[in-house]
């Protein structure tokens, strides 16, 4: 029998995206192997864009946004998941081409899910969310390139007050790295120091792209801004430094040259948290459960009701949000 639930539904009229909360039933959901009662979701920059009809990330309407969620399995056509199992979903363009986490029920493919790892509640998992998951992938990529806390130097995190940046600072600090956090918001300095940043860098220091190579500063970097910021960071990497790039807030253009790569052996690794293989996703979530300080997690998280998500979507686009935004999906 179909079950009723509430969801935020986007629609499009005359090329303008509108949103409203509607009463739906599970018969309205798209096809999938597993039906999940969604308990928690998050608000990311991409969600803000989708809520405001920016970037053509959603092509088919009506649509339920929300690019990640955690919850409890209701029914499953896959032997890996049983009713009552706690699960997490990030990626696979959920919330873009497939209905996502801003509804109290979701139906998805079993391959998209990950069992909730031991040591994490569903609420904690979404306090981490796609942003924190991406941050862990970025840290793992630096490790695979040989970047180590034993090296003499700092790892730079750009966009450090945002979702990815906040968790990246916390993870790196917990692992023993010296962390430089870049932000343009002076009011977040104490917040970033509390997460473990040892040095604060004004983002205006990372804008010079007139020279392909500058003085060596960083053993590694996690960049969630892109464009001129990433180009500047590449020019300041130490010999054989590595950069994990995971964001395009500044745009897709990269006004850099090949000199950092040829003359300093710098390595640039793109982080794709969307089409991430199951084994890598599972490893990243297990590490988050063990290595991310829970006190830092709480400090970096703001909880809101699903009913407030449209208002907060506008705030995140205006740069008025720091850290993670956790959504109580059942509160609508």
């Amino acid at each position: 029998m179909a079950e009723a639930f509430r969801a935020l539904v986007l629609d499009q009229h005359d090329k303008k995206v509108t949103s409203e909360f509607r009463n739906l039933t599970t018969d309205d959901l798209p096809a999938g192997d597993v039906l999940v009662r969604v308990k928690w979701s998050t608000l990311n920059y991409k969600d803000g864009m989708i809520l405001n009809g920016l970037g053509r990330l959603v092509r088919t309407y009506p649509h339920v946004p929300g690019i990640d969620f955690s919850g409890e399995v209701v029914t499953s056509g896959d032997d890996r998941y049983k009713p009552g199992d706690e699960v997490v979903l990030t990626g696979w363009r959920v919330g873009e081409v497939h209905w996502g986490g801003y509804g109290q029920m979701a139906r998805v493919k079993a391959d998209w899910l990950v069992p909730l790892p031991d040591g994490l509640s569903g609420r904690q998992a979404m306090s981490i969310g796609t942003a924190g998951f991406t941050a862990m992938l970025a840290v793992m990529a630096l490790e695979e390139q040989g970047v180590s806390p034993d090296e003499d130097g700092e790892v730079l995190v750009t966009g450090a007050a945002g979702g990815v940046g906040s968790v990246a600072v916390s993870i790196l600090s917990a692992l023993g790295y010296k962390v430089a956090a870049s932000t343009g918001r002076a009011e977040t300095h104490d917040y970033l120091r509390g997460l473990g940043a040892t040095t604060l860098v004004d983002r205006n220091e990372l804008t010079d792209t007139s020279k392909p190579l500058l003085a060596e500063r960083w053993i590694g970097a996690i960049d969630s801004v892109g464009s001129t910021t990433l180009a500047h960071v590449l020019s300041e990497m130490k010999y054989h430094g590595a950069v994990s790039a995971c964001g395009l807030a500044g745009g897709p253009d990269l006004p850099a040259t090949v000199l950092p790569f040829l003359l300093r052996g710098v390595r640039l690794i793109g982080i794709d948290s969307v089409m991430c293989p199951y084994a890598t996703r599972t490893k990243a979530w297990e590490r988050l459960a063990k290595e991310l300080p829970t006190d830092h997690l709480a400090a970096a998280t703001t909880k809101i009701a699903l009913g407030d998500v449209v208002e907060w979507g506008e705030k995140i686009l205006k740069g008025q949000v720091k850290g993670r935004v956790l959504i109580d999906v059942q509160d609508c």
Side-chain angles (χ1 to χ4, degrees):
M1 180 179 294
E3 182 173 343
F5 65 94
R6 292 279 283 172
L8 177 64
V9 181
L10 303 184
D11 219 327
Q12 188 179 55
H13 303 283
D14 297 325
K15 297 184 179 181
K16 181 179 179 181
V17 174
T18 60
S19 63
E20 67 174 346
F21 288 96
R22 297 181 188 174
N23 294 317
L24 303 176
T25 76
T26 49
D27 286 344
D28 297 314
L29 292 169
D33 309 307
V34 184
L35 179 65
V36 178
R37 189 178 313 281
V38 179
K39 297 179 180 179
W40 303 98
S41 186
T42 68
L43 177 67
N44 299 274
Y45 192 86
K46 184 184 287 186
D47 292 309
M49 293 178 65
I50 290 169
L51 289 170
N52 287 274
L54 303 177
R56 290 182 57 81
L57 295 167
V58 174
R59 303 295 180 89
T60 303
Y61 295 91
H63 178 74
V64 175
I67 66 170
D68 52 22
F69 63 78
S70 65
E72 179 182 323
V73 173
V74 178
T75 60
S76 174
D78 188 288
D79 291 340
R80 289 172 289 179
Y81 300 102
K82 302 291 190 296
D85 288 352
E86 295 285 335
V87 291
V88 179
L89 187 148
T90 60
W92 305 103
R93 300 199 69 190
V94 167
E96 296 178 54
V97 300
H98 189 94
W99 285 15
Y102 292 176
Q104 294 172 335
M105 303 289 281
R107 185 181 286 118
V108 296
K109 292 184 178 180
D111 287 342
W112 297 350
L113 297 168
V114 174
L116 185 70
D118 293 338
L120 276 186
S121 66
R123 173 174 176 153
Q124 289 173 322
M126 280 297 100
S127 293
I128 297 168
T130 293
F133 172 67
T134 303
M136 177 54 81
L137 292 178
V139 171
M140 290 165 57
L142 293 185
E143 292 174 339
E144 290 167 0
Q145 296 300 318
V147 179
S148 164
D150 296 330
E151 291 184 74
D152 182 19
E154 294 177 307
V155 174
L156 173 68
V157 178
T158 69
V164 174
S166 295
V167 183
V169 171
S170 295
I171 295 171
L172 290 166
S173 175
L175 292 174
Y177 289 91
K178 296 176 183 178
V179 185
S182 169
T183 179
R185 298 155 58 190
E187 70 274 15
T188 65
H189 285 185
D190 289 343
Y191 164 76
L192 292 170
R193 289 191 185 98
L195 296 180
T198 53
T199 302
L200 296 173
V201 180
D202 191 293
R203 67 183 177 196
N204 290 326
E205 295 180 33
L206 307 177
T207 58
D208 183 7
T209 58
S210 63
K211 299 178 182 179
L213 293 174
L214 297 170
E216 297 181 40
R217 295 182 70 180
W218 320 113
I219 61 172
I222 294 177
D223 174 64
S224 59
V225 179
S227 190
T228 54
T229 297
L230 176 55
H232 183 103
V233 170
L234 289 169
S235 72
E236 290 188 330
M237 297 305 299
K238 290 191 173 186
Y239 185 72
H240 273 190
V243 179
S244 296
C246 53
L248 295 172
D253 294 333
L254 181 61
T257 74
V258 298
L259 294 186
F261 309 107
L262 295 182
L263 300 184
R264 289 185 182 168
V266 175
R267 288 146 297 169
L268 176 61
I269 308 102
I271 304 302
D272 183 6
S273 61
V274 177
M275 308 299 287
C276 183
Y278 181 83
T280 303
R281 279 186 289 139
T282 302
K283 180 179 178 181
W285 276 108
E286 289 175 348
R287 287 194 59 179
L288 284 164
K290 296 175 182 177
E291 298 172 13
L292 182 62
T294 55
D295 55 339
H296 288 185
L297 183 64
T301 302
T302 300
K303 183 177 80 72
I304 67 171
L306 180 60
D308 296 328
V309 72
V310 175
E311 173 189 350
W312 277 77
E314 295 177 357
K315 288 183 179 182
I316 200 170
L317 291 182
K318 294 176 181 177
Q320 298 173 348
V321 176
K322 69 178 182 181
R324 306 285 299 119
V325 179
L326 173 71
I327 301 170
D328 183 348
V329 176
Q330 296 299 313
D331 187 0
C332 179

